[in-house]
Amino acid sequence: MPDILQKLEEAGYEATIGLEIHVQLNTESKIFSSDSNAETDEPNTHVSAISLGHPGTLPVLNEAAVEKAVLMGLACGCDITRHNYFDRKSYFYPDLPKGYQTTQDKTPICVGGKIELIGKELAQEAVSLHHIHLEEDAGKSIHDDGSSTMIDLNRAGTPLIEMVTNPSIKGPEEAAACLQEIRRMVRYLGIGDANMEKGEMRCDTNISIKRKGDSKLGAKVEIKNMNSFNNVRKAAYYELERQLDLILKGEEIAVETRTFNPDEGKTYGMRFKETMNDYRYFPCPDLPPLQLEDSFIAALKPKAEVQPSVFRKRFQQEYQLSDYDVAILTEEKETAIYFDALCHQVKEAKSAANWLNGPIRALQNEGNQSLSEIGLTPESLAELINLVDNGKVVYKTAVQQLLPELLKGEKSATILAEQMNLLVEKDSGELQSIIQEVLISLPKEVEAYKKGKKKLIGLFMGEVMKKTRGKATPKDVQQELNKALSK
């Protein structure tokens, strides 16, 4: 599939991709009513006269939804719109009870900004945003066996932010990376969970191709409601291939809305694209204008600093970590904060990274647990790491024997190492005796080693480490082994 980018290049064309990302906000109640915004499997239980769109009902704006939208805007470096009003966007779907959606058209709450990208060999470092606006979600249509459709209106009125990028994304990989960073940011800021498989974050992808150097964009095709990063990536690759094929045949690209079939990896036409006039936008008469004070915005700025890009820059600059380590350690907010606390108590940041990305990550995967669920404080883990880095406990011994006991939370790493007799002994005489015992028991291997089979050093190391029961460091064992074998 990536070959399509090369084909575009050779034909003198380039891809132009824009994203429209809907993110559900995790407020307690809906955006214009007091209906619960909690997840439930019971259909049509979190509804009231307002979310059902009964005549004569009046919406009231949820302040928490405004705060979360502004937080995301500040994190993206947007300009925050001080004077806002809401609009009605008219369209008729069975899961939209009112026949219109309350949204923002002319005054989006956040304007401009960008999303930073991470990943190898991406064609750009950031994606520019056009705006972010607030709106309500529609309900959900459930198609059972193809013969009937059921409507669940629990989701109707759920607060959304819609993030609209500029048509400046250069390829499918960059589009997927942009989505991944948005999900990280949403979770770091605590404004939503952004689980795409649950529909908490959905993406429409606008794709066109144009001749290199042209300022005018090509005919735009919109692919609706994709619910995974991989689907967005695969759909974009397929659609670019389809559009280039049409152009090379001299055929016209229809401006339309398409759907993506992930099983086939293909897009299919749904309907011709609506125009702005079709939606008949007009200011919502039931909601007063929203005026945001400077003090309201200033109070949110410190919270907006807790985001993945801030941690990434600091971990690279202060701790001199590789891109690989930084990417893993900043994927989740909890891990980033834990690692930062850990680094203040250990000698080497790299040691802390190795422990978190190695033994601790393995524990998390094994038990499907978060760091907090494991129950190991940064202070306890730092003490264990320092024992290893100071040469007092062998790393393998620390992982296999000390760590399981430390997780019980009853004693410190130092006390456990003493009670379990795991502290490294620096008695070179005893170590030399063990080495001699091992070499005498393996005369053929010693002879082969001296004739050039140097890889046998691993065998000798393993046997000596077994006999020392992990109380000698690999470095000391190797030094003494080299001395013994050179005689």
Side-chain angles (χ1 to χ4, degrees):
M1 278 188 181
D3 291 345
I4 180 57
L5 298 179
Q6 183 65 32
K7 290 179 184 177
L8 283 168
E9 176 84 18
E10 292 170 356
Y13 289 89
E14 59 187 359
T16 305
I17 299 174
L19 301 178
E20 298 172 18
I21 305 106
H22 292 84
V23 179
Q24 289 185 2
L25 302 177
N26 58 357
T27 54
E28 291 184 14
S29 57
K30 294 182 180 179
I31 188 169
F32 298 122
S33 73
S34 59
D35 302 347
S36 173
N37 192 36
E39 185 179 356
T40 177
D41 292 329
E42 291 295 322
N44 297 308
T45 53
H46 291 176
V47 294
S48 67
I50 294 177
S51 53
L52 291 174
H54 286 190
T57 56
L58 287 175
V60 177
L61 180 60
N62 186 338
E63 182 179 352
V66 176
E67 288 183 0
K68 291 174 187 290
V70 172
L71 261 179
M72 190 65 179
L74 292 171
C76 295
C78 304
D79 293 325
I80 308 302
T81 303
R82 265 48 174 189
H83 186 74
N84 297 258
Y85 63 86
F86 285 86
D87 301 273
R88 289 184 177 180
K89 176 183 180 182
S90 301
Y91 59 94
F92 298 94
Y93 288 161
D95 52 14
L96 189 68
K98 297 181 292 187
Y100 63 84
Q101 179 188 40
T102 306
T103 182
Q104 290 183 306
D105 178 31
K106 297 294 190 296
T107 61
I109 195 166
C110 311
V111 178
K114 66 179 181 179
I115 303 295
E116 294 188 12
L117 304 186
I118 60 168
K120 291 183 177 180
E121 299 179 359
L122 294 179
Q124 60 199 111
E125 294 181 355
V127 169
S128 62
L129 289 174
H130 185 270
H131 73 265
I132 302 172
H133 67 257
L134 268 168
E135 63 184 19
E136 63 181 340
D137 207 348
K140 183 165 59 174
S141 297
I142 302 168
H143 311 286
D144 54 0
D145 58 0
S147 61
S148 61
T149 297
M150 297 174 287
I151 304 297
D152 181 6
L153 295 175
N154 281 337
R155 201 172 68 182
T158 292
L160 298 176
I161 51 172
E162 181 173 350
M163 306 180 67
V164 181
T165 75
N166 285 313
S168 59
I169 301 175
K170 298 181 179 180
E173 299 300 330
E174 289 73 19
C178 180
L179 275 175
Q180 289 170 320
E181 182 67 359
I182 288 173
R183 184 179 69 173
R184 289 186 201 101
M185 293 177 73
V186 167
R187 292 177 174 180
Y188 265 69
L189 296 170
I191 65 175
D193 295 326
N195 291 311
M196 293 192 76
E197 64 277 8
K198 292 184 178 181
E200 295 166 348
M201 181 167 129
R202 309 189 291 276
C203 177
D204 300 339
T205 307
N206 298 310
I207 300 174
S208 64
I209 59 178
K210 66 181 182 69
R211 281 207 171 273
K212 278 190 165 185
D214 281 2
S215 57
K216 184 180 178 181
L217 298 177
K220 180 179 73 173
V221 169
E222 182 179 29
I223 307 172
K224 295 291 287 185
N225 285 335
M226 285 175 286
N227 62 356
S228 78
F229 306 131
N230 198 37
N231 284 351
V232 169
R233 183 187 292 110
K234 288 164 67 176
Y237 275 126
Y238 175 83
E239 187 59 27
L240 289 172
E241 186 94 50
R242 187 186 73 86
Q243 291 187 24
L244 179 61
D245 187 53
L246 287 173
I247 287 176
L248 295 179
K249 289 178 179 176
E251 298 179 18
E252 186 177 344
I253 297 172
V255 177
E256 62 179 335
T257 297
R258 297 176 72 85
T259 185
F260 177 66
N261 185 321
D263 295 328
E264 298 178 9
K266 297 180 180 181
T267 65
Y268 292 93
M270 291 172 62
R271 61 181 183 271
F272 290 109
K273 191 86 177 99
E274 297 92 342
T275 66
M276 293 297 285
N277 290 335
D278 294 328
Y279 291 128
R280 302 193 309 282
Y281 282 101
F282 67 93
C284 178
D286 293 338
L287 285 164
L290 169 66
Q291 185 71 32
L292 298 182
E293 302 293 338
D294 289 345
S295 57
F296 174 84
I297 297 168
L300 293 173
K301 284 185 177 179
K303 296 180 182 178
E305 287 297 311
V306 184
Q307 55 174 299
S309 62
V310 173
F311 279 100
R312 283 197 297 266
K313 288 172 187 173
R314 195 146 58 79
F315 289 0
Q316 286 170 333
Q317 293 170 4
E318 290 186 23
Y319 304 137
Q320 303 295 304
L321 295 177
S322 67
D323 291 344
Y324 173 81
D325 282 334
V326 169
I328 294 178
L329 293 167
T330 58
E331 182 63 27
E332 298 170 355
K333 176 182 176 182
E334 183 185 36
T335 305
I337 292 174
Y338 188 101
F339 175 74
D340 202 27
L342 193 60
C343 284
H344 287 93
Q345 300 173 70
V346 298
K347 293 195 306 182
E348 297 290 339
K350 179 59 178 171
S351 294
N354 289 343
W355 273 86
L356 274 188
N357 293 339
I360 303 303
R361 179 75 60 183
L363 279 173
Q364 288 181 256
N365 293 339
E366 183 182 339
N368 194 24
Q369 294 176 305
S370 65
L371 273 171
S372 58
E373 289 170 334
I374 287 176
L376 186 63
T377 66
E379 293 77 16
S380 295
L381 181 57
E383 188 176 346
L384 179 60
I385 293 172
N386 288 332
L387 283 175
V388 174
D389 287 355
N390 291 330
K392 294 182 178 180
V393 174
V394 174
Y395 173 78
K396 187 175 180 181
T397 303
V399 172
Q400 295 180 350
Q401 298 183 55
L402 264 182
L403 182 57
E405 292 299 317
L406 192 61
L407 290 171
K408 296 177 181 178
E410 298 170 359
K411 297 172 184 176
S412 71
T414 302
I415 291 174
L416 285 170
E418 291 171 349
Q419 291 182 347
M420 296 170 70
N421 195 24
L422 297 176
L423 292 173
V424 169
E425 294 181 357
K426 293 292 183 180
D427 186 345
S428 61
E430 182 181 352
L431 179 57
Q432 289 169 0
S433 297
I434 292 173
I435 288 173
Q436 286 301 319
E437 182 183 338
V438 168
L439 296 181
I440 289 171
S441 69
L442 299 167
K444 292 181 180 178
E445 287 78 4
V446 170
E447 184 178 350
Y449 175 85
K450 291 185 176 182
K451 288 181 178 178
K453 290 190 177 180
K454 301 301 181 185
K455 289 184 179 179
L456 285 168
I457 191 70
L459 170 65
F460 304 141
M461 285 279 295
E463 292 300 312
V464 172
M465 293 299 291
K466 280 183 197 174
K467 289 186 175 291
T468 60
R469 299 187 304 280
K471 292 169 67 176
T473 66
K475 181 180 177 182
D476 290 341
V477 171
Q478 186 156 19
Q479 284 180 346
E480 294 299 328
L481 261 174
N482 287 336
K483 289 179 186 177
L485 289 165
S486 65
K487 293 178 182 178

